[in-house]
Amino acid sequence: MEYGKNVPPLTPREKFSEFLESTYDPLGLSFSAGETLVLEHSPTDGFCGYGHGIGGYAECYGAARLDANVSGFFGDFLFPVWMHQDPRYFRLGRGSIGLRILYAISRVFATRSDTTRHAVFDGSALAGTALAGVMSNLYYPQADRGLGLTMSRIAIDLGGTATFNLAAEFWEDIKTKLFHWKN
């Protein structure tokens, strides 16, 4: 996430560094833990088809983290380097609440070009998300594979991106109003 308007594009090394940092980000780790607990549990086959109890939960959590890491590697590093796109979220920080909500959600599908610095279709992140969804069929149990479940994982990833964008867009306002903290 960036707040500046005239921020220079990231180098390939910086994009890789951003990917590595996001791999072990406490917020992302927590989000995966919550997603696993809430969205991936079924009374019939446990967590992600791995079974009930802590063992099933741990395997499902590992699969969710692998999904996130594959999506991040391709969607936040490799494809952005190839497509000359910036994987960061750039906060709007002004305007009506509705406008800022629409902006944050739209950044799921739009990003900045490294070359023109204008908004472009975020093919790199979307391709990374889709690839992670497809690749998940290699390691999820047979019962949790297939087109419908792949599309569900892609939708969850895109929803998570929108949620993180909204948090990034409004965190400074929340922090300032509730806690009187300023950067």
Side-chain angles (χ1 to χ4, degrees), residues 41-47 50-57:
H41 184 263
S42 160
T44 55
D45 65 357
F47 294 97
Y50 290 112
H52 297 279
I54 193 72
Y57 176 81

Side-chain angles (χ1 to χ4, degrees), residues 31-67:
F31 186 77
S32 291
E35 174 189 325
T36 300
L37 192 61
V38 176
L39 299 177
E40 301 294 350
H41 184 263
S42 160
T44 55
D45 65 357
F47 294 97
C48 303
Y50 290 112
H52 297 279
I54 193 72
Y57 176 81
E59 285 187 81
C60 185
Y61 177 76
R65 289 307 308 152
L66 185 55
D67 289 348

Side-chain angles (χ1 to χ4, degrees), residues 114-177:
D114 284 342
T115 53
T116 66
R117 306 307 293 148
H118 291 102
V120 295
F121 177 71
D122 196 355
S124 56
L126 294 171
T129 295
L131 183 60
V134 169
M135 287 180 67
S136 68
N137 287 300
L138 297 172
Y139 49 86
Y140 276 90
Q142 187 65 38
D144 277 3
R145 298 179 191 170
L147 181 62
L149 292 165
T150 299
M151 297 307 290
S152 174
R153 283 190 278 280
I154 291 169
I156 288 169
D157 190 16
L158 295 177
T161 300
T163 301
F164 278 107
N165 289 355
L166 286 165
E169 182 63 35
F170 290 102
W171 176 241
E172 283 297 316
D173 303 308
I174 293 167
K175 186 171 75 169
T176 301
K177 286 186 176 32

Side-chain angles (χ1 to χ4, degrees), residues 48-148:
C48 303
Y50 290 112
H52 297 279
I54 193 72
Y57 176 81
E59 285 187 81
C60 185
Y61 177 76
R65 289 307 308 152
L66 185 55
D67 289 348
N69 291 341
V70 168
S71 178
F73 177 79
F74 288 102
D76 295 334
F77 165 62
L78 193 60
F79 293 157
V81 169
W82 284 345
M83 299 170 94
H84 303 285
Q85 294 184 337
D86 199 319
R88 296 173 289 185
Y89 175 79
F90 291 89
R91 182 175 184 258
L92 185 61
R94 59 179 161 60
S96 70
I97 290 174
L99 174 69
R100 292 173 67 193
I101 289 171
L102 287 174
Y103 172 82
I105 293 169
S106 76
R107 300 300 101 173
V108 172
F109 305 101
T111 192
R112 281 190 188 176
S113 165
D114 284 342
T115 53
T116 66
R117 306 307 293 148
H118 291 102
V120 295
F121 177 71
D122 196 355
S124 56
L126 294 171
T129 295
L131 183 60
V134 169
M135 287 180 67
S136 68
N137 287 300
L138 297 172
Y139 49 86
Y140 276 90
Q142 187 65 38
D144 277 3
R145 298 179 191 170
L147 181 62

